[in-house]
Amino acid sequence: MSKIRGAIVVDTERCKGCGLCVVACPLRLISLAKKKVNHKGYPYAEQPDWEPCIGCTNCAVVCPDGCISVYRKKEE
């Protein structure tokens, strides 16, 4: 049985740190950067541990600014 792995890419300069993606992630893999901000001064979303990501796309769907791209790969 194959397993789906996912990873997200966040456009950190467009992210305004609203946190909707953090709440939407069923595995709680996304967090807001604690000590880093973008050029506008917002802490941006990041996925420190991508390994357990299932590529569900919930985070990308709820992002009001379209800052998140989700990539999925099928592992045999």
Side-chain angles (χ1 to χ4, degrees), residues 8-31:
I8 68 168
V9 175
V10 179
D11 183 348
T12 57
E13 293 305 317
R14 287 181 47 206
C15 181
K16 61 184 177 195
C18 67
L20 292 175
C21 57
V22 176
V23 176
C25 181
L27 300 177
R28 302 290 183 243
L29 301 176
I30 303 172
S31 61

Side-chain angles (χ1 to χ4, degrees), residues 22-70:
V22 176
V23 176
C25 181
L27 300 177
R28 302 290 183 243
L29 301 176
I30 303 172
S31 61
L32 294 180
K34 300 221 185 301
K35 296 185 180 184
K36 298 180 273 186
V37 295
N38 60 19
H39 73 283
K40 294 180 182 177
Y42 297 121
Y44 49 84
E46 60 184 2
Q47 182 183 19
D49 184 18
W50 59 270
E51 190 76 27
C53 181
I54 57 174
C56 68
T57 71
N58 288 355
C59 55
V61 170
V62 301
C63 181
D65 298 317
C67 301
I68 301 175
S69 299
V70 179

